[in-house]
Amino acid sequence: MSERFTSWIAAYERAWRTAGAESLRELFAAGATYRAAPFHEPLRGLEQIAAFWQAEREGPGEEFTLRAELVAADGATG
């Protein structure tokens, strides 16, 4: 997996494990869309994404495993 994508995924995991939602600004553009699952309606904008994260996370000590596999990449999109 390219360094660009592995770095972003590592930052995503750190953000999930960090209290608050301030770090989302480093991961997503202000008008980003986010789908919690493939067929869910997308969340739109940092405010909706932050609200979802705050509601879904159990806190910094939450136990989970994050695995990622790059399936396709085209320039800056992966």
Side-chain angles (χ1 to χ4, degrees), residues 55-75:
E56 293 297 315
R57 294 184 297 180
E58 294 178 17
E62 178 181 2
E63 290 191 33
F64 70 93
T65 301
L66 175 67
R67 291 182 295 162
E69 177 183 353
L70 182 61
V71 177
D74 183 14

Side-chain angles (χ1 to χ4, degrees), residues 5 8 10 12 16 19 21 27 30 47 52 54 71-72 74 78:
F5 298 113
W8 188 90
Y12 180 97
W16 186 267
L27 297 170
E47 189 174 305
F52 168 79
Q54 295 293 76
V71 177
D74 183 14

Side-chain angles (χ1 to χ4, degrees), residues 35-56:
R35 288 183 189 262
F39 301 106
H40 288 185
E41 285 297 315
L43 302 167
R44 299 188 185 284
L46 287 174
E47 189 174 305
Q48 286 187 0
I49 296 169
F52 168 79
W53 276 42
Q54 295 293 76
E56 293 297 315

